[in-house]
Amino acid sequence: MDASLLLPRDVPLGGPRAMTVRRTLPHRDRRTIGPWCFVDHYGPHHRDPSSVRPLMDVPPHPHTGLQTVSWLLDGEVLHRDSVGNVATIRPGELNLMTAGHGIAHSEESIVSAGTSPATALHGVQLWVALPDTARHQQAHFEHHADLPHVPNDAATVTVFLGALAGTVSPAATYSPILGAEVRLQPGGSVELSLDIDFEHGVLAVQGEVTVDGDPVPHAALRHQPPGRRSMILHSEHGATALLLGGPPFDEPLLMWWNFVGRTHDEIAEARNDWEKDVRFGHVHGYDGGPLPAPALPPVRLRPHAPATLDLVTGPAAPTPMS
Ligand code: MN
């Protein structure tokens, strides 16, 4: 049993026109990797040319306490939010929404003029937990179309969040973090310098890769604990992987529906505010109504202990070093 390999499970997203995604975080065996607390991977989905329905159609819904990271490998997605932003994201671009105290948004796949109608939809939706110092801030949104690459002959490495080997993304971050896309040619290998304090996750979004020789099957997420100075990614047949990292998140987390908080009462208040149509504002231009919040469970929600707690309360285990 390889506990470092997180296999995805299929989850139908909410809403009347739900799309099924592959979820690897949170996972039974792991809640977070650094501040990354949610990893959904979808597609490639091919559009039925006879249908007018978009492949992705997520009605307005609220968020608190997190950043949403939208990243595409194929297709286009239109974002609208209650702060007034309307932004189309394409492969290689970043849509980053910092929810802070509260925001609402909708997401729809589109086929804009000049794009092949046969284009598939393929991407990931990721969440970053905001630290306590940043989680109550006013909501805002960023679109980045010009992201930096780590110089490398063997791979195309795009840094969309945080820093990797001295290459820094312009996107706003609130705790140390890494989010990068690594594209490998058939037979390609790349060695990446890592921050020794970071834990990392490698998600094989297209094809499959190995991490220091350990396999990452398609759509799986492999976790590596802190203590490594570098990582070698390799692909036999060509692949695209996402590299996610950060220091183990050291605050308790309570995730329920689209909210990230710390206590039951905080989550219940956010849910109540959404149902009463206060705090989150309105998404203009979306054709349809907002998503209703599900009922709270009959028991009080309890936060998960910080990821670092395992390290201080567990048996004295040597820190893995390479
Ligand atoms: Mn959302």
Side-chain angles (χ1 to χ4, degrees), residues 148-152 155-170 173 176-183 190-196 198-202 228-233 241-246:
H149 298 273
V150 179
N152 193 281
T156 304
V157 182
T158 309
V159 182
F160 53 83
L161 210 57
L164 174 62
T167 298
V168 184
S169 161
T173 60
I177 192 169
L178 165 62
E181 184 198 74
V182 181
R183 285 181 182 259
V190 62
E191 180 167 14
L192 298 167
S193 297
L194 303 177
D195 188 317
I196 199 166
F198 281 21
E199 58 181 339
H200 293 90
V202 174
R228 289 170 186 267
R229 295 187 188 283
S230 69
M231 160 187 291
I232 295 175
L233 291 175
L242 295 188
L243 175 60
L244 308 175

Side-chain angles (χ1 to χ4, degrees), residues 58 61-63 68 97 105 107 125 127 258:
V58 187
H61 59 279
H63 286 291
T68 61
M97 185 175 79
H105 73 148
E107 287 169 297
Q125 180 74 25
W127 293 0
N258 294 305

